[in-house]
């Protein structure tokens, strides 16, 4: 059921939002009660040194069954390269241990802003 792949274009310095609606293998909504979300952007996989800035919160709404990911302009201005990798995870503590699921992963292709200059090439 997880993870899906979602590649998207991002216009540097803008606000960008997408909403995930996790499902179980049988198509039923995934119960997000007790889960927190994390959105992490990196230049490479498997290397903590490659993470851009600090990981961003992905907002979990268990009532609606959604996980909302937002790139705020302040964070977006730090994306000075042309392409990045990312993933969105949810995690919850349970009596049997910690549950972690990667919901989606993919590539962010950055387009330079015209009005403002944030660095990069």
């Amino acid at each position: 059921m997880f993870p899906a792949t979602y590649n998207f274009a991002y216009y540097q310095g803008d606000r960008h939002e997408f909403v995930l609606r996790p499902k179980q293998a049988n198509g039923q909504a995934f119960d997000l009660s007790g889960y927190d979300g994390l959105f992490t952007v990196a230049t490479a996989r498997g290397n903590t040194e490659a993470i851009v800035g600090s990981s961003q919160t992905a907002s979990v709404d268990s009532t609606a069954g959604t996980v909302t990911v937002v790139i705020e302009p302040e964070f977006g201005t730090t994306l000075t390269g042309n392409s990045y990798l990312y993933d969105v995870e949810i995690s919850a503590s349970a009596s049997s241990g910690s549950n972690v699921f990667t919901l989606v992963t993919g590539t962010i292709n950055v387009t330079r802003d015209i009005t403002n200059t944030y660095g990069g090439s």
Side-chain angles (χ1 to χ4, degrees):
M1 87 176 136
F2 305 117
T5 300
Y6 173 57
N7 301 319
F8 65 92
Y10 171 70
Y11 197 79
Q12 188 183 34
D14 285 3
R15 184 178 194 280
H16 181 83
E17 177 178 319
F18 60 95
V19 178
L20 306 171
R21 291 175 178 78
K23 305 280 186 212
Q24 298 179 58
N26 64 6
Q28 296 292 321
F30 186 88
D31 183 4
L32 293 168
S33 300
Y35 280 85
D36 293 314
L38 198 60
F39 168 58
T40 305
V41 177
T43 56
R45 293 188 184 277
N47 179 352
T48 57
E49 298 294 319
I51 294 175
V52 177
S54 59
S55 296
Q56 308 294 302
T57 300
S59 177
V60 176
D61 182 338
S62 59
T63 303
T66 61
V67 178
T68 302
V69 178
V70 177
I71 297 177
E72 294 291 353
E74 298 78 28
F75 178 69
T77 62
T78 68
L79 302 179
T80 58
N82 295 321
S83 181
Y84 294 88
L85 303 169
Y86 79 95
D87 66 15
V88 178
E89 290 184 345
I90 55 171
S91 62
S93 296
S95 58
S96 61
S98 181
N99 294 316
V100 177
F101 299 102
T102 301
L103 299 179
V104 65
T105 185
T107 303
I108 304 170
N109 293 306
V110 179
T111 298
R112 298 284 152 257
D113 192 357
I114 295 170
T115 304
N116 298 292
T117 303
Y118 303 112
S121 54

